[in-house]
Amino acid sequence: MTNKLKITFLLGVFTMLFSGNINAQLKKGQLVDGIAAVIGDEIVLESDVEEQLNYGKQQGASTTDRCEFLENLINNKLLVYEAKRDTLIESRSAAIKEGVNAKFNQLLGQFPDEKSMLAAYKFRNQYEMKNAIEKIDTDQYYGQAKYQRITEKADVTPNEVTDFFNLYKSQLPEIKDEVSLSQIVMYPKLTEAHKDELINKLKKIKADIVGGESFESQARIYSEDTGTAPNGGLMKNIFKGQMVKPFEAAALNLQEGEISDPVESEFGYHIIQLVKKSGKAYDARHILLMATATDAEIATAKQKLDSIRGLVLAEKMSFKDAAFKFSDDKKTKFNAGVITGGDGSSKIERESIPGVISYELAGLNKNDITTAFDDEDERKRKVVKIIKIEDVIPAHQITLETDYDRIKQMALNKKKSEMIEKFVNSKLPTTFISIDGRYDTCDFKGNWKKESLTK
């Protein structure tokens, strides 16, 4: 692989650092273990280098050279440093701070209690962990903003796409078997009797609390919110706009210590106690009973979806119109039901399709539609769906005729990488850079070592 294409790949990896979520950045058992480099007033940690090296291996990177991954992280930090000095980039410090609690609670939901989570991530307390989350989100925002500012005018002509293909075609990957899929998703609806059962149970719990039971103990016993139940249902420093609207409206209409009547949200049914309100933030406890559909309710949803499938097959309604009218999935219903892949395109590698869906697609061809089947969404809630195979693309060697849009994106990414590289090089002479001595033997592409020695 030529150096140019290698640079393109590595800078592609570095842009991915700004698009991940907290789970991609914060790994269990990782600790700050030393400073690898300082760029301006930004720091690259040894643990950052190790994490990106491991990530690169998982993604099939052609290099496992620690020096190359450090250089990409230094590139990232220089962008973050310059973004914070760019007066045209809006400061988002307040919004980032407000989002930290949501990220913290999201992670907490993966553990039985806060103590277990802090031990897994090796933080002494939630204050340390929230600081780490805030730092990661800040870097993501500023790095992304600067990257977009530098590359916003990047474009490639058809001739440039052709030149890129002719230059790199021997290095471009073979395209694996792919499909394009559309879906209609439904959340099974609870019967009125089931809703009343949940509401009456919450009313009974509330009555027991009013009668002397503590809200905390009842939350630990009954709440199905695994993230807060072990902590007595407590959520601290909630900012306005952070919770779903029905929850927030009910909580903010309470007096401190008051308990709401049962409230319905997309997660199920809650009773909420306002603990404290201070400025824009508030603390609250809640007990959640999830709206988990019964087998009969799932069967009813399947029956409805199969009838919709029948209308589409009879050409009385297009799949696109059916998705818009009936689908509960906000990500796809406004896009004709089309499921996008990791690269944002409609083409998905067959081997990356989840097992449940892959099983339902087995033996089907282009324009076929599955019968209704049950699955889970990203929040582990039961859903029912039908999927249409819009297209089938067999494995093939990439060509301009069959994959022009894909090659155009590759060429554009390369141009953007070159623009970033040019910007970084222009800032080297005026930026303080210090690299730890353990990297003295590194043969960096940029002039990092020379700069670090002369500052």
Side-chain angles (χ1 to χ4, degrees), residues 1-27:
M1 182 177 283
T2 66
N3 282 340
K4 275 290 183 184
L5 203 56
K6 192 181 293 184
I7 291 171
T8 300
F9 169 78
L10 288 170
L11 286 174
V13 170
F14 111 69
T15 61
M16 284 191 288
L17 298 176
F18 299 130
S19 60
N21 59 28
I22 182 66
N23 292 305
Q25 294 287 335
L26 208 55
K27 301 292 185 184

Side-chain angles (χ1 to χ4, degrees), residues 228-453:
T228 63
N231 198 30
L234 181 63
M235 293 178 285
K236 302 186 72 174
N237 294 318
I238 307 169
F239 287 86
K240 291 179 182 179
Q242 184 177 320
M243 307 299 287
V244 291
K245 289 181 179 179
F247 184 102
E248 182 170 282
L252 294 179
N253 279 324
L254 297 171
Q255 299 298 315
E256 290 186 3
E258 188 180 2
I259 302 172
S260 74
D261 290 329
V263 176
E264 183 181 3
S265 79
E266 61 190 75
F267 299 100
Y269 293 83
H270 318 246
I271 54 173
I272 304 161
Q273 181 184 50
L274 181 65
V275 177
K276 181 179 69 174
K277 190 187 296 183
S278 177
K280 293 182 179 180
Y282 61 99
D283 297 348
R285 295 184 186 275
H286 83 135
I287 295 171
L288 169 69
L289 298 182
M290 295 178 68
T292 304
T294 63
D295 289 344
E297 289 161 343
I298 292 172
T300 299
K302 283 184 178 180
Q303 191 174 34
K304 182 176 181 180
L305 260 185
D306 277 332
S307 68
I308 294 168
R309 174 179 181 268
L311 292 174
V312 174
L313 291 176
E315 298 184 353
K316 293 181 179 179
M317 177 181 286
S318 70
F319 197 94
K320 174 182 177 180
D321 290 341
F324 179 76
K325 185 173 182 179
F326 297 110
S327 185
D328 292 326
D329 180 37
K330 296 176 183 177
K331 294 179 182 176
T332 58
K333 73 175 294 174
F334 302 109
N335 187 36
V338 174
I339 304 171
T340 55
D343 62 355
S345 76
S346 63
K347 297 176 182 177
I348 303 169
E349 287 187 5
R350 271 194 180 271
E351 63 183 36
S352 70
I353 297 173
V356 171
I357 297 176
S358 183
Y359 175 81
E360 297 294 334
L361 295 178
L364 300 186
N365 301 307
K366 183 176 179 178
N367 293 324
D368 287 345
I369 304 173
T370 68
T371 54
F373 63 96
D374 56 286
D375 198 359
E376 290 183 341
D377 68 4
E378 63 274 9
R379 293 173 176 168
K380 303 299 181 184
R381 292 180 298 176
K382 284 287 186 183
V383 298
V384 175
K385 60 178 67 172
I386 56 174
I387 292 180
K388 179 184 178 184
I389 301 180
E390 299 286 356
D391 199 6
V392 175
I393 305 100
H396 62 278
Q397 187 62 44
I398 193 168
T399 69
L400 281 170
E401 291 73 24
T402 59
D403 305 281
Y404 181 84
D405 288 342
R406 197 191 306 258
I407 297 167
K408 179 180 178 180
Q409 190 59 51
M410 291 179 182
L412 182 59
N413 288 343
K414 179 176 179 293
K415 178 169 280 193
K416 288 181 177 181
S417 295
E418 290 169 348
M419 293 170 75
I420 294 293
E421 189 177 358
K422 182 178 179 181
F423 174 84
V424 167
N425 287 334
S426 74
K427 295 298 177 182
L428 285 179
T430 57
T431 305
F432 173 80
I433 300 162
S434 177
I435 300 174
D436 190 88
R438 75 192 81 180
Y439 294 100
D440 282 349
T441 58
C442 287
D443 183 20
F444 294 128
K445 300 180 185 72
N447 202 20
W448 305 106
K449 283 199 299 182
K450 179 179 179 181
E451 294 298 323
S452 68
L453 293 172

